């Protein structure tokens, strides 16, 4: 079963999207609940607020330990930001996927957009909803780019970590969620 980190941001939308495709999920509010799930979704929201909420309960260590067990993590938007490489100004990033990002790369809320990304492993092009989205500015050699939009990486994977700059929860796509489940998650 999937768990969805329910501290901040769009966790409810992810739960609805999974429900739509017949998948039960559990909202996760405490690190000890991670033991009950096989995959974790870290939703979009506001990465600074999320990191601040994570600090008191040592979520960083708990999520790193979860990933080290080989369990799947899907991180979207703010979730992708916090899993990227730590930087001198963002030391708290978890560094679970070897990418660097620029936050709010396309501008403010009003510059949010919808695009059609390249196909996901042969599945039809993927609708990409970006809301104050980050841009991936560096991709390490162990990271696969699964979907891109105008040559920008939009969906990436490093082993059991899958990260999207966009919101799959806002345009729930059957192929995307089926792919996620097949990847065992
Ligand atoms: N702009 C947000 C941030 O920097 C991310 C936006 C989102 O998750 N939709 O954290």
């Amino acid at each position: 079963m999937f768990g969805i980190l329910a501290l901040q941001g769009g966790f409810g939308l992810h739960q609805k999207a999974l429900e739509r495709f017949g998948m039960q999920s559990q909202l996760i509010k405490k690190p000890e609940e991670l033991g009950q799930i096989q995959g974790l979704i870290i939703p979009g929201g506001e990465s600074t607020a999320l990191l601040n909420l994570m600090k008191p309960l040592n979520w960083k260590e708990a999520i790193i330990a979860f990933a080290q067990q080989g369990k799947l993590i899907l991180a979207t938007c703010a979730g992708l930001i916090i899993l990227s490489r730590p930087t001198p100004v963002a030391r708290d990033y978890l560094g679970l996927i070897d990418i660097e990002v620029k936050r709010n790369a396309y501008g403010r809320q009003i510059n949010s957009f919808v695009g059609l990304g390249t196909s996901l492993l042969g599945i039809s092009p993927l609708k990409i909803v970006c809301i104050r989205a980050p841009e991936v500015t560096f991709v390490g050699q162990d990271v696969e780019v699964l979907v891109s939009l105008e040559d920008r990486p939009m969906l990436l994977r490093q082993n059991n970590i899958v990260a999207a700059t966009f919101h799959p929860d806002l345009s729930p796509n059957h192929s995307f969620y089926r792919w996620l489940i097949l990847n065992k998650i």
Side-chain angles (χ1 to χ4, degrees):
M1 160 134 79
F2 269 110
I4 307 169
L5 187 65
L7 298 179
Q8 198 269 339
F11 50 86
L13 284 170
H14 273 290
Q15 188 162 49
K16 281 209 184 91
L18 290 172
E19 242 166 52
R20 194 156 146 180
F21 303 118
M23 277 176 278
Q24 295 292 319
S25 59
Q26 188 181 335
L27 296 182
I28 301 292
K29 297 189 171 172
K30 294 188 185 134
E32 52 268 33
E33 293 165 348
L34 290 173
Q36 299 159 18
I37 54 169
Q38 298 311 312
L40 177 69
I41 296 180
I42 304 179
E46 179 55 53
S47 52
T48 313
L50 183 56
L51 284 169
N52 285 338
L53 289 165
M54 283 168 58
K55 262 192 201 136
L57 291 180
N58 299 322
W59 274 103
K60 179 174 173 174
E61 295 71 18
I63 292 174
I64 290 172
F66 184 84
Q68 282 168 349
Q69 291 164 34
K71 293 185 174 172
L72 184 116
I73 299 182
L74 167 68
T76 63
C77 211
L80 169 143
I81 294 170
I82 71 160
L83 293 199
S84 68
R85 270 190 185 181
T87 70
V89 288
R91 293 172 200 276
D92 288 338
Y93 290 179
L94 279 64
L96 284 175
I97 182 163
D98 191 19
I99 58 174
E100 287 174 5
V101 298
K102 180 177 175 210
R103 290 178 62 195
N104 303 316
Y106 305 92
R108 300 162 68 96
Q109 188 83 10
I110 195 164
N111 305 112
S112 298
F113 63 93
V114 179
L116 214 50
T118 54
S119 71
L120 170 66
L121 309 174
I123 300 166
S124 55
L126 196 64
K127 193 168 160 192
I128 288 188
V129 179
C130 284
I131 298 175
R132 288 180 298 111
E135 184 181 347
V136 176
T137 53
F138 166 84
V139 179
Q141 59 178 12
D142 296 331
V143 179
E144 284 171 84
V145 175
L146 298 172
V147 173
S148 51
L149 177 66
E150 290 165 7
D151 289 333
R152 291 192 174 104
M154 291 290 182
L155 182 69
L156 306 102
R157 173 182 202 156
Q158 183 172 357
N159 303 317
N160 52 323
I161 310 296
V162 178
T165 58
F166 57 98
H167 277 262
D169 47 312
L170 282 176
S171 62
N173 175 298
H174 185 249
S175 308
F176 178 84
Y177 284 94
R178 203 177 53 144
W179 171 83
L180 204 63
I181 294 159
L182 291 176
N183 278 274
K184 210 15 129 252
I185 306 173

